[in-house]
Amino acid sequence: MTTGLPATEEPVLLSDHWWWRPGWRVGRRMWTWHVTFDGDRGADLHALAAAHAPLLDVPGLDVVPAPWLHLTVHGVAFTDEVDDDDVDRVVAAARTRLAALEAFDVQLGPAVLHGGGALLPAAPAEPFHALQRELRAAVADVLGPDRVEGDGAGFRPHVSLAYSNRAWDATALAERVRAVEPAVARVRVSEAQLIRLGRDEHLYRWDAAHPAPLGRSAR
């Protein structure tokens, strides 16, 4: 199964994940579609993250605490650019569209160090692409096609275990990460959540969530 993310190569040069992307600033929040992993559905992932955490707890990396593990699917809009009624309508449109999708099982890992941190690539990737297409369409249904962020071409589904906070050579660490056991987690994806996300203090966290179940998730 292909994930679209490269295997670990030599050298492994990480970049600073926390640079302020256009529009972001301290205190600003964004509505974004995520898959989250709280409760029993995240147990396997949490065990895998815990196995990696001691190795990744080094200068240069910010380890993601278990409650904030997530897989980003699609950003919608900054919260100050969309009103509450439109948020509710986006959620309703997404629930209608996701009713046609089946829940699916996915493997996360093995971990690689790449780009802005330590990642668990998701495989198969195709169900996440189908999920993203429906969520993008739901946004277009409500806000219009011109309000849909990007074209989705660069989407590489993954869960981040840690984010790099500077530019540095992580080659030696990447070799050790390859040997961590267990190497993979298996989870079932049965819903997406529209969350109100912040990225202050080198941490992604959210304070509101609206679930959109995959309609055939009971199978």
Side-chain angles (χ1 to χ4, degrees):
M1 292 180 289
T2 180
T3 65
L5 285 170
T8 304
E9 297 178 352
E10 305 287 355
V12 178
L13 304 177
L14 297 184
S15 57
D16 183 2
H17 175 82
W18 298 113
W19 66 279
W20 286 103
R21 291 155 180 79
W24 279 101
R25 59 178 179 270
V26 174
R28 201 174 195 194
R29 300 291 182 263
M30 173 177 272
W31 288 112
T32 179
W33 285 106
H34 277 42
V35 173
T36 60
F37 303 97
D38 56 329
D40 291 343
R41 64 183 169 184
D44 207 24
L45 171 60
H46 291 171
L48 181 63
H52 284 76
L55 186 59
L56 298 176
D57 188 13
V58 297
L61 288 177
D62 299 311
V63 176
V64 180
W68 308 116
L69 292 165
H70 62 275
L71 189 151
T72 304
V73 182
H74 178 63
V76 176
F78 287 108
T79 57
D80 54 8
E81 295 179 340
V82 60
D83 61 36
D84 290 344
D85 286 344
D86 280 342
V87 170
D88 291 342
R89 291 170 61 212
V90 168
V91 173
R95 287 172 177 165
T96 297
R97 286 184 167 275
L98 297 195
L101 297 183
E102 291 194 42
F104 57 93
D105 297 312
V106 62
Q107 174 181 295
L108 300 171
V112 296
L113 269 64
H114 172 72
L119 316 176
L120 296 172
E126 289 77 12
F128 287 107
H129 285 278
L131 178 61
Q132 189 197 62
R133 284 194 296 271
E134 295 302 327
L135 294 174
R136 289 170 56 84
V139 175
D141 291 343
V142 175
L143 303 180
D146 60 330
R147 293 287 299 276
V148 179
E149 180 183 90
D151 60 8
F155 180 43
R156 302 290 184 268
H158 65 274
V159 172
S160 291
L161 295 177
Y163 294 105
S164 175
N165 55 41
R166 59 185 173 89
W168 59 295
D169 186 336
T171 303
L173 178 60
E175 289 298 319
R176 296 195 295 275
V177 166
R178 291 185 189 182
V180 174
E181 294 291 343
V184 300
R186 292 175 176 83
V187 300
R188 186 161 182 82
V189 177
S190 59
E191 69 176 25
Q193 291 199 353
L194 185 67
I195 64 174
R196 186 166 56 201
L197 182 72
R199 66 187 305 268
D200 302 339
E201 301 174 347
H202 287 196
L203 179 64
Y204 290 106
R205 68 179 92 195
W206 48 93
D207 58 6
H210 304 283
L214 278 69
R216 288 174 276 179
S217 60
R219 290 187 179 182

